[in-house]
């Protein structure tokens, strides 16, 4: 079985990246949010696009979450 991309945080609730794939997807998400916010700031539907990006990232976390994965943070 492959290692999960995200696992439980050491302290508190939530998930944190547990492999390079998790870190890469987090970086892509942050880059997409920054580019969307900066390049499309005058577009009226920018908030809908940002909500869609958040939904996709949450889906990636849910699909690749492994409760036994060790996080490095």
């Amino acid at each position: 079985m492959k290692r999960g991309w995200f696992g439980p945080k050491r302290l508190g609730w939530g998930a944190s990246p547990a492999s390079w794939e998790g870190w890469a997807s987090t970086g892509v998400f942050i880059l997409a949010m920054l580019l969307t916010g900066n390049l499309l700031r005058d577009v009226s539907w920018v908030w809908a696009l940002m909500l869609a990006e958040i939904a996709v990232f949450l889906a990636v976390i849910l699909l690749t979450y492994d409760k036994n994965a060790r996080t490095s943070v």
Side-chain angles (χ1 to χ4, degrees):
M1 183 172 171
K2 287 192 138 194
R3 183 176 170 202
W5 291 8
F6 293 90
K9 291 172 43 178
R10 287 187 183 183
L11 298 173
W13 294 348
S16 67
S19 68
W20 71 268
E21 293 97 340
W23 284 107
S25 61
T26 301
V28 167
F29 169 71
I30 291 171
L31 184 65
M33 292 295 282
L34 289 172
L35 289 175
T36 301
N38 286 331
L39 297 178
L40 302 175
R41 92 176 54 147
D42 296 330
V43 179
S44 61
W45 45 269
V46 68
W47 294 106
L49 184 58
M50 288 181 141
L51 285 174
E53 290 172 359
I54 292 169
V56 168
F57 186 60
L58 288 176
V60 168
I61 291 173
L62 289 174
L63 292 173
T64 61
Y65 185 82
D66 181 10
K67 67 179 181 178
N68 296 322
R70 290 261 189 201
T71 58
S72 58
V73 177

